């Protein structure tokens, strides 16, 4: 059995890597293929022991994936004076979209599905979170400005959605408890995170030898577990750690203490750590979505109620997205309307809601969640397919060539600042 798991796991990762290469080349969401593979395997899976193993492994992988996604998103947030306006624009879009859509979907569930406000909020917030893992690759062919906006917006949406969900989960549906958890717990977490992050920074600067990234990841997981044990917002600790690393050069220019604590080879170590996080996130996410397909209740997926509910949710997502993009004056608004996919965070948070409350699949079919993930991910294929979208992206690329001299195939390439080192 052990050898079988190793063989299957290795084959899955290699196949997922091939799918990822093909997805980047032909511009389709890899998540669709991974989920489809899992659903296909689900049809032929009859071993109950394997199903029980999947039931156990899915939440663990999901939690690990959640930590890695928030870390990866925060490592991409390079804050400097030159991009503050774009950051503010993306942050406003993420806040309005996440909060607004959560409210609309939540009220709909209260009125039409008979849920109480607490249950409705636990389901609505995850459905309002944009998946950065799907959105960012989809925006690559839309030009530099649109790509940058989607990168920041989806990263902010991931982080904001998770913080809102856990605050609402801990509040029991009480508004004052939600506010205290979100603001009070957040401020306490930020204060504590400064100590933890500086401690990790000292540890990382003193790591020598060939083994460096395992202690860094262990320290990060310790950071998360400690925050969870103290009833804080542990993902804020992860966010603080990622933001600290991504903006360390500018922080060092302003702090003699950080310069004195830092080692000469630490910038290179940070770059290598980011690369490791990206690869580890890829592996966890790939396995998670295949297992999710194997775990999915096919009867619920094929039920008319699931399809109808998913259709209503999707209509709300895209009807709300257009005015928000117009409000913040996002670049290439017509193309970005379709870049609003749902993914791992949505699925994981809903699984947590089912696990920690009295919610059940009867009240809200899991098949509807899967349809939302599948269809919203497929909709990004419309991005840049229309002639006006492609021409606009090409114009952006040509302007970037004139200004920076860095473009290829009509799409502006990221600068050194955009790549975050």
């Amino acid at each position: 059995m052990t050898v079988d798991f190793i063989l299957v796991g290795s084959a899955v990762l290699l196949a997922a890597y091939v799918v990822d290469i093909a997805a980047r080349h032909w511009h389709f969401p890899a998540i669709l293929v991974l989920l489809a593979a899992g659903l296909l395997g689900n049809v032929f899976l009859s071993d109950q022991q394997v199903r029980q193993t999947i039931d156990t492994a899915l939440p663990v992988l999901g939690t690990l994936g959640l930590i890695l996604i928030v870390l990866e998103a925060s490592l991409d947030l390079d804050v400097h004076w030159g991009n503050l306006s774009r950051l503010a624009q993306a942050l406003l879009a993420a806040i309005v979209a996440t909060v607004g859509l959560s409210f609309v979907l939540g009220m709909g569930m209260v009125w039409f599905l008979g849920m109480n406000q607490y249950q409705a909020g636990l389901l609505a917030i995850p459905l309002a979170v944009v998946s950065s893992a799907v959105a960012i690759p989809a925006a690559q062919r839309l030009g530099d400005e649109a790509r940058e906006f989607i990168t920041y917006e989806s990263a902010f949406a991931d982080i904001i959605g998770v913080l809102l969900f856990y605050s609402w989960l801990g509040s029991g549906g009480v508004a004052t408890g939600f506010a205290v958890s979100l603001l009070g717990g957040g401020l306490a977490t930020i204060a504590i995170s400064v100590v933890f992050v500086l401690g990790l920074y000292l540890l990382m600067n003193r790591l020598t030898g060939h083994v460096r990234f395992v202690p860094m990841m262990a320290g990060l997981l310790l950071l998360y577990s400690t925050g969870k044990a103290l009833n804080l917002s542990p993902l804020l600790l992860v966010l603080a750690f990622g933001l600290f690393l991504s903006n360390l050069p500018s922080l060092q220019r302003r702090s003699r203490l950080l310069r004195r604590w830092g080692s000469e080879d630490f910038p290179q170590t940070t770059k290598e750590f980011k690369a490791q996080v990206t690869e580890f996130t890829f592996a966890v996410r790939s396995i998670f979505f295949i297992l999710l397909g194997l775990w999915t209740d096919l009867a619920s997926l094929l039920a008319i109620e699931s399809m109808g509910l998913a259709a209503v949710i999707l209509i709300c997502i895209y009807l709300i997205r257009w005015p928000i993009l117009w409000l913040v004056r996002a670049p290439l608004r017509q193309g970005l309307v379709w870049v609003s996919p749902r993914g791992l965070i949505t699925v994981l948070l809903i699984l947590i809601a089912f696990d920690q409350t009295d919610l059940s699949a009867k009240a809200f079919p899991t098949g509807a969640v899967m349809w939302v993930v599948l269809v919203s991910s497929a909709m990004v294929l419309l991005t840049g397919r229309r002639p006006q979208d492609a021409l606009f992206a090409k114009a952006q690329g040509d302007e970037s060539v004139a200004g920076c001299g860095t473009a290829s195939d009509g799409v502006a390439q990221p600068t050194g600042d955009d790549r975050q080192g």
Side-chain angles (χ1 to χ4, degrees), residues 35-339:
L35 274 174
L39 291 171
L40 181 62
N42 195 341
V43 176
F44 302 100
L45 182 60
S46 58
D47 192 325
Q48 292 302 316
Q49 184 177 357
V50 174
R51 289 191 178 275
Q52 291 175 1
T53 302
I54 292 173
D55 291 342
T56 303
L58 201 63
V60 177
L61 274 176
T63 301
L64 183 57
L66 185 63
I67 295 170
L68 290 169
I69 285 175
V70 172
L71 176 62
E72 188 177 28
S74 61
L75 288 172
D76 285 332
L77 294 177
D78 184 14
V79 181
H80 55 79
W81 288 110
N83 69 350
L84 282 183
S85 61
R86 182 71 72 203
L87 282 168
Q89 185 185 43
L91 178 60
L92 178 61
I95 292 174
V96 174
T98 306
V99 175
L101 187 56
S102 296
F103 179 80
V104 170
L105 293 177
M107 288 298 96
M109 292 175 189
V110 171
W111 293 337
F112 299 108
L113 298 183
M115 297 182 182
N116 58 48
Q117 292 183 358
Y118 180 59
Q119 294 174 326
L122 290 178
L123 294 173
I125 293 173
L127 290 168
V129 180
V130 176
S131 171
S132 59
V134 182
I136 293 175
Q140 293 300 316
R141 59 184 181 274
L142 288 180
D144 190 55
E145 290 185 10
R147 179 195 59 79
E148 186 179 50
F149 175 82
I150 282 295
T151 298
Y152 292 143
E153 183 210 13
S154 58
F156 282 133
D158 286 352
I159 295 164
I160 292 168
V162 170
L163 294 178
L164 288 175
F165 175 83
Y166 276 103
S167 297
W168 187 250
L169 180 65
S171 70
V174 180
T176 54
F178 173 69
V180 169
S181 178
L182 184 62
L183 300 177
L187 292 174
T189 303
I190 290 172
I192 294 175
S193 67
V194 172
V195 178
F196 277 93
V197 167
L198 289 177
L200 278 177
Y201 178 61
L202 279 172
L203 172 65
M204 291 162 62
N205 275 286
R206 281 154 179 77
L207 295 175
T208 58
H210 298 292
V211 181
R212 294 174 296 169
F213 301 117
V214 170
M216 290 168 71
M217 288 301 301
L220 179 64
L221 294 176
L222 175 64
L223 200 66
Y224 179 87
S225 302
T226 303
K228 198 74 172 175
L230 295 175
N231 295 318
L232 298 174
S233 301
L235 287 169
L236 265 182
L237 297 173
V238 178
L239 171 63
F241 181 68
L243 285 174
F244 179 81
L245 288 183
S246 63
N247 296 277
L248 185 58
S250 60
L251 291 173
Q252 285 180 326
R253 286 194 295 269
R254 293 170 174 79
S255 172
R256 293 182 179 179
L257 186 62
L258 291 178
R259 288 198 302 270
R260 188 165 61 247
W261 285 353
S263 62
E264 293 182 359
D265 61 344
F266 186 73
Q268 181 61 33
T269 301
T270 302
K271 291 180 181 179
E272 294 175 8
F273 177 67
K274 291 180 181 180
Q276 295 293 325
V277 169
T278 300
E279 294 199 11
F280 200 25
T281 304
F282 161 77
V284 172
R285 185 169 57 235
S286 299
I287 295 175
F288 177 85
F289 279 117
I290 291 177
L291 291 183
L292 180 63
L294 293 170
W295 172 86
T296 298
D297 182 0
L298 295 178
S300 176
L301 184 68
L302 298 176
I304 299 298
E305 294 81 0
S306 297
M307 297 180 189
L309 183 56
V312 173
I313 293 171
L314 288 164
I315 290 171
C316 292
I317 289 173
Y318 295 109
L319 284 180
I320 289 176
R321 183 156 179 80
W322 167 251
I324 290 174
L325 293 174
W326 178 85
L327 174 68
V328 301
R329 297 183 179 181
L332 194 55
R333 290 187 286 274
Q334 290 183 345
L336 294 187
V337 166
W338 309 113
V339 187

Side-chain angles (χ1 to χ4, degrees), residues 349-361:
L349 294 184
I350 288 179
L351 290 177
I352 292 173
F354 282 147
D355 182 59
Q356 299 192 14
T357 66
D358 57 352
L359 278 168
S360 66

